[in-house]
Amino acid sequence: MRENKKLKKFGSLLVASSLLAGVLAGCGNGDSSSSGGGSSSGGGSSDGDTIKIGANLELSGNVASYGSSIALGAELAVKEINDKGGIDGKKIELIKVDNKSENSEATTAAIKLATQDKVVAMLAPATSGNTVATVQIANDNKIPIVTGSGTAPNITVNDDGSVNEYAFRTCFIDPFQGIVAANFASGELKAKNVAIFADNASDYAKGLAKSFKETIIKNGGKVVEEEAYVAKDADFRTQLTTIKAAKPDFIFIPGYYEEVGLIVKQAREMGIDVPLMGADGWDSPTLVELAGADALNNTYITNHYSAEDPDQKIQDFVKAFKAANKDKAPDAFNALGYDTIYYIADAIKRAGSTDGEAIQKALADTKDLSLVTGTFSVDKDHNPIKTATVLEFKDGKQVFNSKVNP
């Protein structure tokens, strides 16, 4: 999710300068920890009885809620796999590095994990921008990265159509979420005149807005107003006044919980009572704190799964997660972190190797893998083909609404 252009060039330059300077052992990555047991020595492959997987996550900073949630899900998956004997008898060691929710820190963390910790694969950052900052490191070192929630298409596919060979994801991409939201708005909510209020500094939000607009128009709807905001803004009343004057019957707000929480709160205070909808960037307990439970009534999001889904695999995961986390119900980021570890572990097992090229091929060849957020196969662009879930907020709680097939 938060984006930055020229990151590939920046990543390559940083790799070179860091290696030449010989400062990797002391680079400032914030908190770093590991779980799963095993030695911290060795390089790029299994080390004795240990397979090292990196986790380059937002454990502090603006979107720490995302990275921390992914980490909890990943840790549960590692424990389950290790408790069952690991991968071909080898235990997983999860090495976490805090990228502080910053592109430059994400690049530095990826360098550390690749060259110092010698991991065989990495959980890439939670946001698209931070993940893009690590792609060149993955390609250069032939170490696969898998993001659980980086939904921007340019993580796996470049503007020229070429595929980033070592980049994968377990989430669906932004255009799919925008299409699902538009179809839900026009189909289920019968929306005809819609407004779009998007973060214009984020490729994540802009991608969602674009696919939503194209689909809503194709469905016979009309976009009566488009407004923009920038991350870190706190007062949205000017734009909301303009939107209100256009009299939409639905407002699409792609963005992140920090700003969205305030937007929803202010919109309701101004008497805007029409349905509001966003995507997985809304998914954080902090959203309810910022917006208030009442303000979130009549709002919806597209997401990757619902803890209320009666599917047995999902309910088994919910039970295990609650047991490990003081009865806390797992959110979508918990589930995606969990699934990402299982996806990587499955690829390592099928590859029969901890060689990066072998793991990369196994990840790309994945077919009909059954995970908590859906059974998926990987397409030619390294994106999973899977279902999406629509959730509704009721009194501050996310309630399962429906599932949408691709």
Side-chain angles (χ1 to χ4, degrees):
M1 303 181 222
R2 310 221 192 246
E3 283 62 42
N4 195 338
K5 301 218 183 252
K6 301 182 181 177
L7 285 171
K8 290 189 177 181
K9 181 178 179 182
F10 171 74
S12 296
L13 290 172
L14 188 52
V15 172
S17 61
S18 296
L19 292 174
L20 287 171
V23 297
L24 287 170
C27 59
N29 295 302
D31 292 338
S32 177
S33 60
S34 64
S35 60
S39 169
S40 61
S41 62
S45 61
S46 60
D47 180 30
D49 294 328
T50 301
I51 296 174
K52 293 191 286 186
I53 297 175
N56 181 351
L57 296 171
E58 296 82 346
L59 303 178
S60 65
N62 294 336
V63 289
S65 174
Y66 299 149
S68 299
S69 289
I70 285 175
L72 286 176
E75 287 165 347
L76 176 60
V78 168
K79 183 179 186 305
E80 288 181 354
I81 293 169
N82 286 344
D83 285 350
K84 293 176 183 177
I87 302 172
D88 294 330
K90 297 180 184 294
K91 297 297 181 70
I92 297 173
E93 179 185 2
L94 186 67
I95 302 175
K96 295 183 295 180
V97 181
D98 180 11
N99 64 40
K100 303 177 184 177
S101 302
E102 298 289 343
N103 292 159
S104 59
E105 291 285 348
T107 305
T108 304
I111 294 170
K112 176 186 181 295
L113 289 167
T115 62
Q116 181 178 334
D117 295 311
K118 306 291 186 182
V119 300
V120 304
M122 298 184 212
L123 275 75
T127 66
S128 294
N130 289 340
T131 299
V132 171
T134 73
V135 169
Q136 195 63 44
I137 312 303
N139 288 337
D140 288 349
N141 289 277
K142 296 185 177 181
I143 297 175
I145 60 171
V146 185
T147 177
S149 54
T151 52
N154 67 333
I155 288 171
T156 57
V157 180
N158 299 309
D159 292 341
D160 63 4
S162 61
V163 176
N164 285 314
E165 192 174 1
Y166 283 84
F168 297 84
R169 72 180 101 224
T170 48
C171 54
F172 39 66
I173 60 175
D174 294 338
F176 180 56
Q177 290 197 86
I179 292 167
V180 169
N183 287 338
F184 181 79
S186 58
E188 297 298 319
L189 301 181
K190 310 302 180 186
K192 296 295 184 183
N193 299 303
V194 309
I196 300 171
F197 191 18
D199 179 352
N200 68 358
S202 163
D203 284 351
Y204 165 73
K206 289 188 289 187
L208 282 163
K210 181 176 183 293
S211 60
F212 174 86
K213 181 178 179 179
E214 290 172 350
T215 306
I216 205 79
I217 292 172
K218 187 172 76 173
N219 290 347
K222 181 181 179 181
V223 179
V224 296
E225 188 61 53
E226 290 184 74
E227 289 291 321
Y229 66 90
V230 179
K232 309 294 187 185
D233 283 352
D235 188 345
F236 304 93
R237 292 176 180 84
T238 298
Q239 299 100 312
L240 289 170
T241 297
T242 302
I243 290 173
K244 184 178 181 181
K247 298 181 179 180
D249 52 23
F250 175 94
I251 304 173
F252 186 54
I253 312 173
Y256 298 104
Y257 65 88
E258 290 178 294
E259 292 81 24
V260 168
L262 297 176
I263 290 170
V264 172
K265 182 176 187 293
Q266 292 168 24
R268 297 312 194 205
E269 289 173 347
M270 294 171 61
I272 298 173
D273 58 4
V274 300
L276 310 176
M277 190 168 188
D280 58 341
W282 286 36
D283 190 18
S284 169
T286 306
L287 178 72
V288 182
E289 297 172 15
L290 292 170
D294 288 343
L296 282 167
N297 285 329
N298 201 25
T299 69
Y300 305 83
I301 61 172
T302 54
N303 215 334
H304 304 269
Y305 111 118
S306 169
E308 295 185 345
D309 191 317
D311 182 274
Q312 190 59 52
K313 191 174 188 71
I314 290 176
Q315 289 309 309
D316 288 345
F317 163 68
V318 170
K319 181 179 179 181
F321 188 89
K322 284 185 172 182
N325 293 278
K326 300 179 180 179
D327 207 38
K328 174 187 177 294
D331 61 26
F333 289 90
N334 298 139
L336 287 165
Y338 181 87
D339 278 357
T340 301
I341 287 291
Y342 270 102
Y343 175 37
I344 293 171
D346 174 74
I348 293 172
K349 184 174 181 61
R350 284 187 289 109
S353 170
T354 53
D355 173 72
E357 293 182 75
I359 297 170
Q360 184 276 342
K361 185 177 186 304
L363 288 168
D365 290 343
T366 298
K367 301 292 183 186
D368 299 323
L369 178 63
S370 178
L371 299 173
V372 169
T373 59
T375 297
F376 76 77
S377 298
V378 176
D379 69 15
K380 63 181 178 60
D381 294 331
H382 292 182
N383 300 316
I385 304 167
K386 62 192 294 190
T387 58
T389 298
V390 174
L391 303 174
E392 179 180 0
F393 281 93
K394 290 186 177 180
D395 299 324
K397 305 291 185 183
Q398 292 184 9
V399 177
F400 177 73
N401 182 286
S402 57
K403 256 183 180 176
V404 181
N405 292 316

